[in-house]
Amino acid sequence: MGVTIPAVAFAHTKIADATFGEIYLANVPRLGTTGFDLYVPAASVQAALNLLVDNAAAVGARPCGWDAFEMMRIEQGIPRFGADMDETNLPPEAGLDRTAVSYAKGCYIGQEVIARIRTYGQVAKKLCKLQ
């Protein structure tokens, strides 16, 4: 099957596959590296997983689990809601001001607080990596 891999972050490609049904491949760069999310119909998940694992093994790769994903996420300093932050944290405390906050956008809820933090000082606590 000829598939156009989405080159731009957060872009996706729709694939109509006779075996698996309607599939979406999304370019989702997680963990500071290239990555893709594959969306398949629920009935096709196990068959798609088996095919992915078999093809990965053919080129010397293997799947990793949640613990490996968490280790990489922590090493990259990427916060996870519920583990490293919650609704009581301000975005700059979790480092989200670099990727998830717009200082140029118009009005949004919490804009004044974020602008004050940026203009007048630092937050009292901040998620950071120790080496």
Side-chain angles (χ1 to χ4, degrees):
M1 141 178 41
V3 175
T4 302
I5 297 175
V8 179
F10 305 109
H12 70 278
T13 299
K14 179 180 173 182
I15 305 156
D17 184 76
T19 304
F20 299 115
E22 192 171 277
I23 299 171
Y24 291 89
L25 178 64
N27 182 335
V28 184
R30 290 192 178 89
L31 308 178
T33 186
T34 303
F36 296 90
D37 285 0
L38 185 64
Y39 299 91
V40 298
S44 300
V45 168
Q46 191 60 53
L49 176 62
N50 292 342
L51 185 61
L52 285 168
V53 170
D54 291 346
N55 281 285
V59 295
R62 63 179 187 205
C64 69
W66 178 256
D67 290 339
F69 181 87
E70 275 291 281
M71 185 183 312
M72 183 71 169
R73 179 191 68 76
I74 292 166
E75 287 177 356
Q76 294 297 319
I78 300 169
R80 179 168 59 89
F81 190 84
D84 307 308
M85 62 179 176
D86 61 23
E87 66 278 351
T88 66
N89 295 106
L90 296 167
E93 292 174 338
L96 296 176
D97 54 325
R98 296 184 305 269
T99 58
V101 172
S102 173
Y103 291 103
K105 184 180 182 291
C107 297
Y108 58 89
I109 295 173
Q111 177 188 17
E112 295 83 8
V113 173
I114 299 300
R116 262 187 264 135
I117 291 170
R118 183 175 187 217
T119 302
Y120 295 115
Q122 301 297 318
V123 290
K125 58 186 176 183
K126 186 169 186 170
L127 181 66
C128 62
K129 179 168 51 171
L130 298 176
Q131 291 184 312

